[in-house]
Amino acid sequence: MVEAMTVISIWIVPVTVMFILLVAIIRKVPAYEVFVEGGKEGLKMSVSLLPFLLGMLVAIAILRSSGALDAFIQLLEPILVKVGIPAEIAPLAILRPISGTAALSVTSEIIQVYGPDSFLGRLASTMQGSTDTTFYILTVYFGAVGIKKMGNALKIGLIADFIGIIVSVIIVTWLFM
Amino acid sequence: MINVIWALMAVIGIVYAMFNGTMEEVNQALFDGSSEAVTLVISLSSVLIFWLGMMRVAERAGILEAFAKLARPIVRRLFPEIPAGHPAMGYILANFSANLFGLGNAATPMGIKAMEEMKKISQSDRASNAMITFLVINTSSITLIPTTVIAIRLQYGSQAPTEIVASTILATTITTVSAIFIDRLLRRSRSH
């Protein structure tokens, strides 16, 4: 099942491209011209995205490099431990919504130190796979189309992240212990 | 809210550095963070150019329309504000399928396109209900095969690198369902 899914995930992009282009040829769409036209829009979009991403990444970099983020993690750790989240996983749980690269490096570190097949290794893997960087998605999706009032999107996103972390602990405990 | 959070992140960091003696690191981070963003946007632009080019071809060939029809049963319930057969539906389905197969970087351009189409419906710079639902589903990450994690596990000598697939799918499903539920709950309390 997993092998089949891996094959599908490798094949799906080239096959999709082939399918789109074949239909375009059959329907007599000037494929190359249209592709370039759409691509130009992509270029424009990435340029307009830059200030949004730059602002967010700089703020996160300041928070990390000053040591404030580490202090924040230490502050929250006892609370997370009380809810049933192991202390070793707490930094990952807090970093995951804020910074994708930081969370990924914490995950690899946990897997390296405790082993991929340990409880902590499996928990870190599950958490990394089942959550996403809320701040990044918010910045990119809303930034690209110029949404200024985000409503309660951030709030719901963060609540969902918290649920994802708790649920991961419960599921990994239940499946592997 | 995002304005205050963003400004506070930087202010707290700088004030903390005053007492922690890490001002030099913060100074460096200002420049490193900026150049990291430029690098990120350049690598993102290659994906955006390719997929938005491809999606435009798909649109002109009528594939997106067929996709939107296919998406109707799912999208109608999740996004009642989107009119039947609207292009937003096609992009939403494309984004969801790319996420399911773990094609994170192909999912982003389609997600942005979906947002753009939803903005055409709402005609406002305020996030609409449909946009928030769409965003929440994306942040709770619907992935079938977490390829990055499997690669890391393999690298550190796991006996069964893919054994976390089941737990990940289970966790992500519960999270997504609860995210949709919370979104609906807050939406109801907002309109009353």
Side-chain angles (χ1 to χ4, degrees), chain A residues 44-59 139-140 143-144, chain B residues 6 33-34 37-38 41:
Chain A
K44 235 187 281 168
M45 206 178 266
S46 27
V47 173
S48 67
L49 207 54
L50 183 54
F52 290 95
L53 265 178
L54 196 146
M56 196 47 81
L57 287 182
V58 168
T139 307
V140 171
Chain B
W6 180 73
S34 309
V38 176
V41 161

Side-chain angles (χ1 to χ4, degrees), chain A residues 27 34-35 37 41 45-46 55 63 65-66 71 116-117 122 125-126 130 132 138 141 145 148-149 154 160 164, chain B residues 5-6 9 13 16 20 22 29 45 53 56 61 95 112-113 119 125 127 135 139-140 153 158-159 163 167 175:
Chain A
R27 301 236 167 120
V34 174
F35 174 82
E37 198 187 297
E41 190 194 349
M45 206 178 266
S46 27
L63 211 57
S65 63
S66 65
D117 301 325
R122 285 165 176 157
S125 306
T126 303
S130 66
D132 215 323
L138 228 73
Y141 282 17
V145 297
K148 298 206 177 72
K149 300 190 181 84
L154 182 63
Chain B
I5 291 175
W6 180 73
M9 272 161 67
Y16 191 87
N20 200 27
T22 42
S45 75
R56 183 69 67 91
N95 168 273
I112 294 175
K113 270 317 254 196
K119 200 187 174 187
D125 66 350
L135 208 106
T139 61
S140 64
R153 294 173 59 80
S158 170
Q159 296 298 309
E163 69 176 0
S167 58
T175 314

Side-chain angles (χ1 to χ4, degrees), chain A residues 66-132:
Chain A
S66 65
L69 195 58
D70 285 333
F72 181 62
I73 290 172
Q74 268 174 17
L75 204 74
L76 272 187
E77 218 177 85
I79 302 168
L80 289 185
V81 171
K82 236 174 223 155
V83 197
I85 295 161
E88 296 87 343
I89 290 287
L92 174 63
I94 299 160
L95 277 172
R96 191 70 183 101
I98 303 170
S99 166
T101 41
L104 194 61
S105 67
V106 172
T107 298
S108 354
E109 206 177 283
I110 291 172
I111 290 176
Q112 188 187 9
V113 173
Y114 300 99
D117 301 325
S118 65
F119 175 72
L120 288 173
R122 285 165 176 157
L123 182 55
S125 306
T126 303
M127 253 183 218
Q128 176 74 38
S130 66
T131 50
D132 215 323

Side-chain angles (χ1 to χ4, degrees), chain B residues 39-73:
Chain B
T39 318
L40 189 66
V41 161
I42 289 174
S43 65
L44 195 64
S45 75
S46 65
V47 178
L48 279 172
I49 292 169
F50 179 76
W51 280 108
L52 291 185
M54 231 47 221
M55 288 312 280
R56 183 69 67 91
V57 177
E59 201 184 321
R60 283 284 285 275
I63 299 170
L64 202 73
E65 233 179 277
F67 231 53
K69 260 186 210 143
L70 211 70
R72 249 187 89 184

Side-chain angles (χ1 to χ4, degrees), chain B:
Chain B
M1 184 155 79
I2 196 80
N3 288 316
V4 179
I5 291 175
W6 180 73
L8 273 183
M9 272 161 67
V11 170
I12 290 172
I14 293 167
V15 171
Y16 191 87
M18 286 175 187
F19 298 101
N20 200 27
T22 42
M23 203 53 96
E24 204 182 314
E25 283 88 339
V26 168
N27 195 35
Q28 188 65 40
L30 282 168
F31 298 101
D32 289 349
S34 309
S35 67
E36 194 194 321
V38 176
T39 318
L40 189 66
V41 161
I42 289 174
S43 65
L44 195 64
S45 75
S46 65
V47 178
L48 279 172
I49 292 169
F50 179 76
W51 280 108
L52 291 185
M54 231 47 221
M55 288 312 280
R56 183 69 67 91
V57 177
E59 201 184 321
R60 283 284 285 275
I63 299 170
L64 202 73
E65 233 179 277
F67 231 53
K69 260 186 210 143
L70 211 70
R72 249 187 89 184
I74 323 160
V75 176
R76 203 185 46 199
R77 292 187 152 259
L78 278 175
F79 306 92
E81 298 93 339
I82 296 175
H86 195 277
M89 282 190 173
Y91 285 118
I92 288 173
L93 188 63
N95 168 273
F96 285 176
S97 357
N99 267 325
L100 277 178
F101 290 106
L103 315 168
N105 53 11
T108 308
M110 292 160 196
I112 294 175
K113 270 317 254 196
M115 279 287 180
E116 222 170 59
E117 294 296 334
M118 283 187 262
K119 200 187 174 187
K120 280 182 197 159
I121 298 172
S122 74
Q123 301 266 1
S124 150
D125 66 350
R126 183 190 293 271
S128 66
N129 282 336
M131 287 176 177
I132 295 175
T133 307
F134 180 68
L135 208 106
V136 162
I137 293 175
N138 260 279
T139 61
S140 64
S141 165
I142 29 163
T143 310
L144 285 183
I145 303 291
T147 31
T148 323
V149 176
I150 294 175
I152 296 173
R153 294 173 59 80
L154 209 61
Q155 187 191 332
Y156 290 112
S158 170
Q159 296 298 309
T162 53
E163 69 176 0
I164 46 87
V165 170
S167 58
T168 304
I169 293 176
L170 208 57
T172 207
T173 309
I174 294 175
T175 314
T176 306
V177 170
S178 20
I180 295 170
F181 186 71
I182 294 166
D183 174 42
R184 279 299 142 92
L185 216 67
L186 290 180
R187 189 183 296 184
R188 199 156 297 158
S189 68
R190 214 179 333 162
S191 59
H192 275 292

